[in-house]
């Protein structure tokens, strides 16, 4: 603590005497021996010299009243802005159409996959129903069920063979009236 007090007191005395170079040397000694020049003036960017030079510049704010100025229309600038706006609008429209088309294609892809899955399920169900229909139409099964219900085999003359339908022959068939049997409730 005593050394720090002595260093600061020594630094203050050096500044009072007016010797800035000695003050920076004294400060550099306290920081570990590195001597850096004092910073005054304007800083130049990296491309130019990296040193301060001259006196610092001071800027004062000045109030400017532009309320009485009238803006003159620049037709060339307005035309350029209109062309830029049209070009930007066209670009935006093209991007939106592309996005709409892309998302529609993705949506239709999902719909197609769902319909393919539904079709596969329906084909499987149709196959199962055809198999069930074939088993239900089995003549042996029908005969067995008929005997369980108490039905007997038909007697000779009870079975009448019908003519094949017109669609099977491919020729038109005329309607005819023959042997109409009328059954009354009392008989």
């Amino acid at each position: 603590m005593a050394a720090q007090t002595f260093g600061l007191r020594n630094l203050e005395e050096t500044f009072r005497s007016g010797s800035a170079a000695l003050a920076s040397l004294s400060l550099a000694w306290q920081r570990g021996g590195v001597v850096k020049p004092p910073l005054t003036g304007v800083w130049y960017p990296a491309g130019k010299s990296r040193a301060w030079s001259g006196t610092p510049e001071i800027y004062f704010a000045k109030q400017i009243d532009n309320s009485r100025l009238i803006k003159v229309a620049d037709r060339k600038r307005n035309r350029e802005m209109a062309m830029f706006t049209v070009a930007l609008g066209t670009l935006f429209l093209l991007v939106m159409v592309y996005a709409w088309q892309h998302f529609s294609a993705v949506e239709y892809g999902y719909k197609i996959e769902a319909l393919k899955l539904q079709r596969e399920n329906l084909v499987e169900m149709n196959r199962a129903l055809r198999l069930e229909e074939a088993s239900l139409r089995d003549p042996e099964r029908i005969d067995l069920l008929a005997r369980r219900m108490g039905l007997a085999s038909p007697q000779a003359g009870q079975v009448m063979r019908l003519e094949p339908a017109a669609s099977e022959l491919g020729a038109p068939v005329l309607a005819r009236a023959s042997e109409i049997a009328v059954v009354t409730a009392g008989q």
Side-chain angles (χ1 to χ4, degrees):
M1 187 74 174
Q4 289 177 349
T5 309
F6 175 74
L8 288 177
R9 200 176 295 143
N10 192 8
L11 185 63
E12 289 173 6
E13 289 174 7
T14 309
F15 273 120
R16 275 190 221 129
S17 68
S19 174
L22 288 176
S24 66
L25 285 175
S26 175
L27 187 60
W29 173 77
Q30 289 175 0
R31 290 184 183 163
V34 178
V35 178
K36 294 184 181 177
L39 299 177
T40 59
V42 179
W43 176 258
Y44 290 103
K48 297 181 179 181
S49 172
R50 293 183 140 261
W52 287 86
S53 65
T55 59
E57 295 182 11
I58 300 173
Y59 298 99
F60 296 99
K62 180 179 179 181
Q63 297 295 329
I64 299 174
D65 181 24
N66 288 336
S67 63
R68 295 170 292 191
L69 295 179
I70 299 172
K71 181 181 176 185
V72 178
D74 186 6
R75 292 184 180 166
K76 183 179 179 184
R77 175 75 174 159
N78 289 344
R79 186 172 49 249
E80 288 175 355
M81 289 303 294
M83 292 297 288
F84 177 72
T85 303
V86 168
L88 196 61
T90 304
L91 178 66
F92 177 75
L93 182 65
L94 289 174
V95 168
M96 285 293 125
V97 167
Y98 172 75
W100 172 74
Q101 197 174 33
H102 173 73
F103 291 124
S104 294
V106 170
E107 180 184 359
Y108 286 135
Y110 282 123
K111 285 182 181 179
I112 288 170
E113 288 301 318
L115 289 174
K116 282 182 181 179
L117 183 64
Q118 183 181 4
R119 182 181 182 276
E120 289 175 9
N121 290 338
L122 289 174
V123 165
E124 182 64 29
M125 186 185 300
N126 189 9
R127 189 188 66 75
L129 289 174
R130 285 184 188 265
L131 185 62
E132 184 180 356
E133 179 189 17
S135 68
L136 291 175
R137 285 184 177 250
D138 184 24
E140 292 177 8
R141 181 185 165 278
I142 294 173
D143 187 45
L144 181 65
L145 288 175
R147 290 184 195 274
R148 284 186 191 166
M149 296 169 87
L151 299 175
S153 296
Q155 300 296 325
Q158 279 185 325
V159 177
M160 291 181 65
R161 300 277 181 201
L162 299 175
E163 297 179 53
S167 62
E168 293 176 4
L169 294 177
V173 177
L174 295 174
R176 62 180 180 170
S178 62
E179 302 180 27
I180 298 176
V182 178
V183 179
T184 61
Q187 294 180 353

